[in-house]
Amino acid sequence: MSDMKTAHCTPPKVVHKPLKVVNIGLQSFTESLRSQGVQVVQVNWRPPVNRDPEIDTLLEDLL
Amino acid sequence: MTIKERIAAANEKAVGELINADPVWVDILPAGQAVEGLEENMILHSGPPIEFADMVPLHRRGMVSGALFEGLASTEAEAMAMLERGEIKVSAALDHNTVGAGTGIITASVEMMVVENRRTGKRAATFPAEGPFQGGLCGWGLYTEEIAANLRYMKNELFPAMRELIHQRGGLALRPILAESMQMGDENHTRQSASDLMFIKQILPDLVRMDVDKPTLLKCMDYIVQTPRFFHCFGQGASLSALWSAKGTSHSTMVVAFGGNGVEFGIKVAGLGDEWFTAPAPMINGRYTSSQYSEKDQVPWLGDSCIVECAGLGGLAAAASPVVGNLRGLKVKDTVALTREMQEICISSNHNYPIPNLDFGFLPAGIDIRLVLKRGIASEIHGGMLNHEGGLIGAGSARVPMGCFEKALKAFGKKYAE
């Protein structure tokens, strides 16, 4: 309980330093931070495709 | 050769047909002569095949309109009864050498623009915009006395002179117009502003030099100049004549046709002949022409004009047209990102189409069903929103349903299993 109180009351140290952000995925998050003057690196990433196993087998055989 | 090597060789051949095509506007002919397999008592429609009873109201009304225009029936009730009994046949435009843009209502006497791929001799026929009625009968399935009279006027007063013009000229090469217009802001599906102007620049001097009376000349000029997106039918004809040259390439996984009928969307694949692979038709996301419209007014994807995407225009060429992107709220860099995304699902790129916003990099060419499924990226298609009453209520884009590609790959696996 006392640990939670401490965590709640003490701001993380990171907010006192200039932010440097690596954003993975949605480009709009990068844009939003950049417009506020935050240094951001965007990593283009998509969640893995969830495919029918039959399609996976076919792709392995044909591609 | 392994199956993978066979596919690679087949795809190189198929995409070569697409890239090296030499589409030329060569003629204007009635659909009965220009469209292979179109019978006198047959009406074509957009999208994959569908029974008259299962069609969306816009298609059903278009069929009745077509029957009245063609004189196959004298009243709406008679036309409905004949269609229900199968006495008037219905057939998918893309099962012939034509494109059903919008509703795609094509009957034997409608005059068509004929495009020949000079490299292979394959011909495609597409219907032109109906002057002040724009989509009119063929695109929007509408029928009034004025629309019928305008179609007769086009047939009897405009097109004889324009046919003579194109014959005297020996054809009009379309690829140079497509290539240059895409450096001037057209993606040649939603926007043809530059290609319209270049078409006019090519045609008008010859028209003026022709031995025709001045009233006829002025009628032709007014029609060409005043019809919005006049060039669209030529872009579709150029695309289809190239794609039909690749259709039937054994072992190729390249897409050769896209089209929707308002119920289902379908694709065809080069190595799978004329078989359709379908899934529920998607809705178009974009902007409406008026705030009075919403999704409930909109018919799911209806039309074959997305044949141009199969040939690398439209959605695949988003980077070429910041103006079209802006209509949908996209920034220039978003349109560039879209084209780069489409490159990930394509076999090659087309050196005929260097694009300024890509630092003169080339547009993607040849959608590969395997890459679509591997990457989980469906093809972007631009299009117009049609409402249930007919008429255009907006423009935007959609993605081809993944189900089409899944069914196609399963059929491909079955056909070519080793």
Side-chain angles (χ1 to χ4, degrees):
Chain A
M1 190 69 180
S2 61
D3 282 352
M4 281 182 72
K5 258 186 185 169
T6 308
H8 181 73
C9 296
T10 311
K13 286 181 182 170
V14 71
V15 299
H16 300 300
K17 296 178 181 174
L19 282 175
K20 289 181 181 174
V21 178
V22 175
N23 183 57
I24 300 172
L26 289 176
Q27 176 81 26
S28 57
F29 288 7
T30 291
E31 299 301 328
S32 169
L33 288 167
R34 196 168 279 149
S35 69
Q36 297 171 66
V38 177
Q39 198 178 338
V40 196
V41 172
Q42 168 70 18
V43 177
N44 289 326
W45 177 85
R46 287 189 202 94
V49 182
N50 187 16
R51 279 186 298 263
D52 172 352
E54 189 185 344
I55 295 291
D56 272 335
T57 306
L58 283 165
L59 288 173
E60 208 165 292
D61 293 344
L62 303 174
L63 181 64
Chain B
M1 256 181 143
T2 66
I3 180 83
K4 290 181 187 179
E5 288 167 339
R6 280 179 203 275
I7 293 171
N11 281 347
E12 194 179 331
K13 188 174 170 216
V15 81
E17 293 293 355
L18 198 56
I19 294 168
N20 299 314
D22 180 16
V24 177
W25 174 34
V26 293
D27 216 338
I28 303 176
L29 289 170
Q33 290 177 42
V35 177
E36 294 156 13
L38 175 58
E39 299 167 32
E40 282 183 6
N41 67 330
M42 181 184 280
I43 304 176
L44 305 186
H45 61 82
S46 50
I50 186 168
E51 297 290 329
F52 177 69
D54 299 329
M55 288 178 178
V56 292
L58 195 55
H59 255 158
R60 285 169 67 84
R61 196 187 60 195
M63 286 285 151
V64 171
S65 300
L68 294 173
F69 173 70
E70 202 62 33
L72 299 173
S74 50
T75 65
E76 288 186 17
E78 188 189 3
M80 287 280 283
M82 290 176 78
L83 283 156
E84 278 160 4
R85 290 196 298 263
E87 289 166 18
I88 297 173
K89 297 181 189 173
V90 303
S91 183
L94 283 171
D95 281 341
H96 304 258
N97 59 328
T98 187
V99 180
T103 54
I105 301 301
I106 299 168
T107 60
S109 70
V110 167
E111 295 280 313
M112 308 286 273
M113 299 299 183
V114 181
V115 173
E116 182 177 301
N117 178 359
R118 285 266 162 93
R119 181 179 146 85
T120 60
K122 283 278 179 198
R123 284 187 165 203
T126 53
F127 58 82
E130 297 173 28
F133 298 98
Q134 299 188 36
L137 169 69
C138 301
W140 297 345
L142 303 174
Y143 189 75
T144 62
E145 267 315 305
E146 291 77 14
I147 285 174
N150 183 62
L151 282 167
R152 286 192 288 272
Y153 165 77
M154 286 164 64
K155 184 186 183 87
N156 299 326
E157 297 188 44
L158 295 178
F159 288 160
M162 288 178 64
R163 184 181 298 116
E164 181 62 23
L165 166 75
I166 201 64
H167 286 178
Q168 279 186 19
R169 207 177 192 283
L172 174 70
L174 300 173
R175 193 169 74 189
I177 295 178
L178 285 166
E180 196 172 349
S181 69
M182 285 196 288
Q183 296 195 339
M184 298 166 69
D186 287 354
E187 38 68 273
N188 277 295
H189 189 163
T190 300
R191 186 179 199 263
Q192 289 82 10
S193 303
S195 44
D196 277 356
L197 288 172
M198 276 185 295
F199 178 88
I200 289 166
K201 187 178 169 186
Q202 293 276 330
I203 287 297
L204 276 194
D206 287 351
L207 188 63
V208 173
R209 287 192 190 97
M210 269 180 70
D211 186 19
V212 290
D213 59 84
K214 195 168 179 185
T216 302
L217 188 149
L218 291 176
K219 281 176 191 170
C220 290
M221 192 178 72
D222 285 347
Y223 170 67
I224 295 169
V225 171
Q226 292 173 4
T227 302
R229 301 174 71 210
F230 185 83
F231 193 77
H232 192 21
C233 63
F234 296 109
Q236 293 171 68
S239 299
L240 192 70
S241 66
L243 291 159
W244 262 209
S245 300
K247 188 170 64 133
T249 305
S250 179
H251 286 84
S252 173
T253 52
M254 188 179 90
V255 173
V256 291
F258 284 155
N261 60 29
V263 179
E264 287 189 307
F265 192 94
I267 73 170
K268 291 187 182 187
V269 177
L272 297 171
D274 270 313
E275 193 174 348
W276 285 94
F277 304 97
T278 61
M283 297 300 282
I284 293 179
N285 293 309
R287 288 202 182 164
Y288 297 103
T289 53
S290 159
S291 57
Q292 68 174 300
Y293 297 123
S294 65
E295 194 172 292
K296 67 177 172 23
D297 301 299
Q298 191 188 332
V299 182
W301 192 285
L302 185 100
D304 300 340
S305 58
C306 46
I307 197 75
V308 302
E309 269 80 3
C310 297
L313 314 177
L316 273 70
S321 188
V323 175
V324 170
N326 186 50
L327 287 173
R328 297 163 46 211
L330 300 180
K331 295 177 180 170
V332 175
K333 66 180 176 146
D334 299 327
T335 64
V336 170
L338 260 174
T339 292
R340 294 208 192 288
E341 187 187 17
M342 292 299 104
Q343 184 66 68
E344 291 188 48
I345 57 169
C346 283
I347 298 161
S348 186
S349 52
N350 190 339
H351 59 81
N352 296 301
Y353 301 143
I355 301 303
N357 289 336
L358 299 174
D359 284 334
F360 295 91
F362 306 136
L363 288 179
I367 299 160
D368 185 338
I369 57 169
R370 299 171 308 163
L371 295 175
V372 167
L373 292 164
K374 178 78 179 174
R375 308 258 153 85
I377 299 171
S379 317
E380 169 94 350
I381 45 176
H382 289 172
M385 300 169 184
L386 290 168
N387 81 352
H388 301 286
E389 310 305 318
L392 209 57
I393 58 167
S397 70
R399 295 284 175 135
V400 174
M402 276 293 181
C404 300
F405 299 103
E406 287 169 0
K407 285 182 184 169
L409 190 72
K410 286 178 183 176
F412 190 94
K414 198 174 274 183
K415 179 171 180 178
Y416 292 107
E418 289 186 333

